[in-house]
């Protein structure tokens, strides 16, 4: 049974269809990357999952049961465009948001104290939000998102506006929450962080889902049987003789004392064949199958989807 | 704890804890009292400026005008002409020259020259002094001529003041003494208060909504609580601030009235006054004069405890009804726009309706029974103000109930409409929507 399922979601706005028959499935404890260019429908999908808006058609299941308004307290959501009441004190505000998520006043205060201590911001409790910097306010927002220990966490571009040190802090907190059992949806353009922390991804483009699955499987799928052999520069090599008819030369670049040759398999031969041919001709530094980065896959898929 | 209650308590406590709440609650009544006192003081204030006015008296009346406050009148025998008035004023440092013509008895037209604008009160005083003087001389001549030395006393005796006791006949058959003038004042003050309350608190709801939208906190909030209960919590929270303020003012006002009564009229029991038939005897025992007591009795009869309770209940009902109607509409406007400047376009029609309601209310003070007043007291956008003014004069129960029912039905409907617009609007940023687009949002 999947942890969270959205099935055949359709959502129309006045002049366009924001989501067209989109289905996604989240395994439990996944860090699920929701990818796609601007305007693809990611935020609309997230708003449907958080029940901010309803779908025109389609069904949603949380742990096998249809999603109901009471599930709002089991979800924590950090929107891309986020803010706080400027004139309200940090502590009061965090308390208010926590209580709206169903925590009792007492529990909320205990939890908040613990988080404030963890982030070393105890002194902020009585400060007004307008006195905080943007990064500081975002820390408070992060705390209010995770405070009620939601089973499902949704972060929309969580790292925008943070400095690298806080990005690292946040990344570790997110992974820690996953270890503690939370399932996470993570919407972003930043492919670097996707490779780093996501276990699964879905790519949405032009209101439709193009691809979904475990990140390694997807990268494997888009690998096109290319191999990179890196050797020390030295004696001239007869490359065509070495590749033979089984391999096709894709690129050959020399940088300093290192020469990278990328070859694509053209016939069904073991990958070792190539290695054997180079073995006595050159000083091999490395030999690997080329796995495309998420960035490459993203660009490739979005472009071919035009 | 219910989430709506959490929202109500935040809206209530953040507003009540603000300094502005304390300041307006205390300052607004003080400001009104101060303004009133200032106006009375201004009117009662004597003219203290020192002036010298030259009088060129060509008439036979001897010194027709005497010193007025600090203004002296100097009767001059210098030969001056009106053409040279300005030189004469400068040379002698007079404030003005007053020319009394020789034929002032038959053609009472005097001329004044001055470098300054003569204050109306001084002009009025001069006019009345001169008139009294001329009338006195003429009167004496008439008495002389008629041969009746006591003519003046006889004429005075013909003066007959007329008093009207208005008795309002109830549906139950009994009649009640009341003063329509006092009812009118009570009605219009209450109507204005409702108008101001609705405008102030409904705008506060709108500002709150705009703030949450521009702060971008709204998306976090609506992922915790559905938009409709959230908006309701906000509207009720602000209303409870208004009610608290209102209750404080009632207590203030009640204490002030009791205090004033015991200072100004010690020993007069209002209840006894209401029931007493013999004012003369009461006047004697309390040491007040008849006329004062009579006025008091009429006020006391118009504003009896039953009236106060009924009227206050109606006031609170119409305040809440009108407020809920306008607040939900204002909230929808707040949700539809990105900033307060853009809200003007949508607010203007609503504000105009409210102002029209106020004017009809004022018209109702003069005559509560015209058709426009009658219908406006049923139309929910104007009824909170207009019906309240009408109620001061007494309105059949069925009319009040109908008007109240229409108001409730309308605000339920518009709250539903507004919540639809609100739900969509709070998440829409960018361009200002048109009326047509807002209509489309109803169907999302």
């Amino acid at each position: 049974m999947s942890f969270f399922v959205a099935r055949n979601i359709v959502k129309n706005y006045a002049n366009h269809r924001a989501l067209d028959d989109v289905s996604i499935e989240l395994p439990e404890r996944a860090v699920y990357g929701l990818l796609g260019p601007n305007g693809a429908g990611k935020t609309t999908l997230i708003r449907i999952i958080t029940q901010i808006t309803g779908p025109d058609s389609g069904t949603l299941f949380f742990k096998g049961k249809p999603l109901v308004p009471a599930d709002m307290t089991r979800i924590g959501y950090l929107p891309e465009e986020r803010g706080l009441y400027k004139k309200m004190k940090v502590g009061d505000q965090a308390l208010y948001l926590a209580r709206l998520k169903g925590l009792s006043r007492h529990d909320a205060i205990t939890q908040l104290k613990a988080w404030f201590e963890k982030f070393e911001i105890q002194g902020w409790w009585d400060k007004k939000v307008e006195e905080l910097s943007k990064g500081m306010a975002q820390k408070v927002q992060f705390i209010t998102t995770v405070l009620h220990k939601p089973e499902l966490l949704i972060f929309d571009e969580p790292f925008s506006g943070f400095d690298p040190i806080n990005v690292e802090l946040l990344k570790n907190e997110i992974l820690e929450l996953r270890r503690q059992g939370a399932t996470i949806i993570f919407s972003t353009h930043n492919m670097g962080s996707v490779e780093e922390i996501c276990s699964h991804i879905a790519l949405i483009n032009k209101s439709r889902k193009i691809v979904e699955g475990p990140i390694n499987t997807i990268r494997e799928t888009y690998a096109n049987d290319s191999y990179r052999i890196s050797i020390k520069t030295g004696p001239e090599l007869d490359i065509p003789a070495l590749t033979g008819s089984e391999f096709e030369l894709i690129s050959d670049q020399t940088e300093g004392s290192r020469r990278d040759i990328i070859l694509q398999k053209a016939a069904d031969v073991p990958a070792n064949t190539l290695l054997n041919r180079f073995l006595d001709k050159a000083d091999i530094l490395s030999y690997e199958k080329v796995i495309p980065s998420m960035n490459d896959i993203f660009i490739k898929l979005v472009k071919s989807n035009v | 704890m219910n989430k709506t209650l959490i929202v109500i308590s935040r809206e209530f406590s953040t507003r009540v804890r603000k300094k502005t709440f304390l300041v307006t609650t205390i300052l607004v009544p003080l400001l009104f009292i101060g303004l009133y006192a200032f106006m009375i003081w201004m009117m009662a204030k004597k003219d203290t400026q020192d002036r010298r006015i030259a009088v060129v008296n060509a008439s036979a009346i001897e010194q027709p005008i005497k010193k007025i406050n600090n203004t002296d009148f100097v009767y001059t025998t210098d030969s001056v002409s009106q053409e040279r008035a300005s030189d004469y004023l400068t040379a002698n440092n007079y404030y003005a020259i007053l020319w009394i013509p020789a034929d002032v008895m038959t053609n009472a037209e005097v001329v004044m020259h001055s470098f300054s604008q003569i204050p109306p009160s001084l002009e009025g005083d001069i006019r009345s002094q001169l008139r009294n003087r001329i009338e006195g001389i003429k009167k004496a001549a008439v008495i002389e001529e008629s041969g009746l030395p006591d003519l003046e006393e006889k004429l005075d005796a013909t003066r007959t003041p007329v008093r009207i006791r208005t008795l309002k006949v109830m549906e139950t058959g009994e009649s009640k003494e009341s003063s329509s003038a006092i009812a009118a004042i009570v009605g219009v003050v209450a109507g204005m208060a409702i108008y101001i309350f609705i405008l102030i608190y409904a705008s506060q709801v709108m500002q709150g909504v705009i703030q949450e939208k521009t702060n971008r906190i709204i998306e976090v909030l609506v992922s915790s609580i559905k938009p409709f209960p959230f908006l309701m919590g906000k509207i009720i929270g602000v209303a409870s601030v208004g009610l608290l303020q209102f209750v404080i003012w009632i207590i203030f006002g009640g204490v002030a009235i009791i205090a004033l009564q015991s200072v100004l009229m010690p020993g007069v029991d209002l209840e006894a006054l209401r029931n007493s038939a013999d004012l003369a005897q009461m006047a004697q025992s309390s040491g007040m004069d008849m006329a004062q007591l009579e006025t008091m009795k009429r006020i006391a009869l118009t504003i009896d405890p039953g009236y106060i309770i009924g009227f206050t209940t109606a006031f609170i009902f119409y305040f809440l009804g009108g407020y809920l109607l306008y607040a939900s509409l204002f909230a929808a406007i707040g949700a539809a726009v990105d900033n307060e400047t853009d809200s003007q376009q949508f607010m203007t029609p609503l504000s105009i309706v409210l102002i029209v309601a106020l004017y009809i209310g004022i018209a109702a003070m003069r005559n509560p029974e015209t058709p426009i007043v009658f219908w406006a007291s049923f139309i929910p956008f104007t009824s909170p103000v207009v019906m309240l003014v009408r109620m001061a004069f007494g309105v059949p129960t069925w009319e009040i109930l109908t008007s109240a029912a229409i108001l409730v039905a309308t605000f339920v409907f518009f709250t539903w409409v507004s919540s639809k617009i609100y739900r969509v609007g709070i998440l829409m940023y960018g361009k200002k929507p048109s009326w047509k687009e807002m209509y489309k949002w109803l169907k999302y």
Side-chain angles (χ1 to χ4, degrees), chain A residues 13-14 47 51-52 72-73 77 79 81-86 88 92-93 96-97 99-101, chain B residues 1 3 6-7 10 17 211-212 215-217 219-226 230 427 440 444:
Chain A
Y13 285 121
R47 283 181 181 167
Q51 300 182 71
I52 291 172
M72 278 181 156
T73 56
Y77 173 39
E81 296 284 1
R82 48 201 170 229
L84 295 164
Y85 288 110
K86 287 199 177 71
M88 214 172 164
D92 287 348
Q93 182 138 225
Y96 174 59
L97 293 172
R99 291 180 72 210
L100 281 182
K101 281 290 188 191
Chain B
M1 194 167 153
K3 287 180 182 179
I6 297 172
V7 176
R10 191 201 88 88
R17 265 193 253 151
Q211 208 182 66
E212 276 152 7
N215 269 353
R216 311 266 177 168
I217 192 173
E219 195 161 348
V220 175
L221 290 170
V222 292
S223 74
S224 306
I225 174 170
K226 288 274 179 189
F230 176 70
L427 298 171
K440 269 190 198 156
Y444 280 179

Side-chain angles (χ1 to χ4, degrees), chain A residues 135-150:
Chain A
M136 291 160 98
Q138 287 191 334
K139 272 189 188 173
V140 177
Q141 283 156 347
F142 179 82
I143 293 173
T144 58
T145 309
V146 302
L147 189 74
H148 58 291
K149 299 203 170 104

Side-chain angles (χ1 to χ4, degrees), chain B residues 164-182:
Chain B
I164 297 181
R165 283 174 68 210
T166 42
L167 290 167
K168 189 139 186 69
V169 184
M170 298 288 148
E171 285 155 90
T172 50
E174 52 181 325
S175 59
K176 183 186 151 202
E177 193 158 355
S178 75
S179 155
S180 56
I182 290 158

Side-chain angles (χ1 to χ4, degrees), chain B residues 249-324:
Chain B
W249 286 342
I250 286 187
I251 294 170
F252 268 8
V255 170
I257 286 170
I258 291 168
L260 264 178
Q261 192 211 337
S262 58
V263 170
L264 295 179
M265 308 179 300
V268 178
D269 176 15
L270 280 185
E271 200 47 49
L273 184 64
R274 247 178 232 129
N275 301 324
S276 78
D278 186 10
L279 282 180
Q281 194 237 320
M282 257 195 103
Q284 214 157 42
S285 68
S286 65
M288 292 178 67
D289 73 58
M290 273 291 281
Q292 249 182 323
L293 262 186
E294 201 160 325
T295 318
M296 278 312 304
K297 184 182 176 185
R298 298 173 89 207
I299 294 177
L301 277 171
T302 309
I303 308 175
D304 65 15
Y307 177 90
I308 293 173
I309 291 168
F311 197 77
T312 311
T313 313
F315 183 90
I316 291 176
F317 173 82
Y318 277 106
F319 162 59
L320 286 179
Y323 161 79
L324 286 173

